Amino acid sequence: MQGERALYSTTMISTAFVFIGAGIGGALRHGINVVSPRWFGMGFPYGTMAINIIGSALMGLVAGWFAFRAGEGVPQDLRLFLATGVLGGFTTFSAFSLDAVLLWERGETMLAATYVIGSVVLSLAALLGGLAMMRSMS
């Protein structure tokens, strides 16, 4: 019983770190989406592109720091807060980028290509399907 409580407590704390981080990341994303049309106009999704590029660069820095600089001394809650929370709330594209590069670095070139092409094509198809379903209901 005590082991279950400890696991529950640990899970709740980890979830709180992700929740707070995601709020921060989402607020940052919103800020960029508000500012970018004012600076660059609305003819191109500059904000989204900037978010994806910045988020991917930050994910590379964070993942690299965890892997090469911090060693085993990085608490799991910090990893969850920064990578899953802040960067996940900022953009999931950063996680996508990291996963694709990790596959490629492991020599899984075909899997990496399948992941990239499949994710992009199937995500676009899913969005089109969702739009089509909603249009048919109106």
Side-chain angles (χ1 to χ4, degrees):
M1 184 71 160
Q2 190 157 355
E4 290 177 16
R5 285 185 187 173
L7 178 61
Y8 176 77
S9 177
T10 302
T11 302
M12 291 306 293
I13 291 168
S14 297
T15 301
F17 278 114
V18 171
F19 178 78
I20 293 165
I24 293 168
L28 291 170
R29 179 178 66 225
H30 176 66
I32 290 173
N33 280 331
V34 167
V35 170
S36 68
R38 293 180 190 163
W39 290 352
F40 304 110
M42 296 185 63
F44 184 82
Y46 291 105
T48 301
M49 188 169 82
I51 289 163
N52 289 336
I53 294 167
I54 292 166
S56 293
L58 290 173
M59 182 64 86
L61 290 171
V62 168
W65 183 70
F66 287 155
F68 305 120
R69 300 281 185 227
E72 296 297 319
V74 178
Q76 181 64 15
D77 288 337
L78 179 60
R79 294 174 190 259
L80 289 170
F81 174 75
L82 290 175
T84 305
V86 175
L87 291 175
F90 187 62
T91 173
T92 58
F93 198 82
S94 59
F96 163 78
S97 299
L98 178 63
D99 290 340
V101 168
L102 289 175
L103 284 169
W104 179 67
E105 285 184 342
R106 287 196 319 243
E108 300 286 352
T109 308
M110 289 305 296
L111 277 179
T114 300
Y115 178 66
V116 169
I117 294 167
S119 292
V120 171
V121 170
L122 293 174
S123 293
L124 291 172
L127 186 132
L128 287 169
L131 286 173
M133 286 173 60
M134 293 314 293
R135 284 187 182 127
S136 72
M137 298 171 108
S138 59

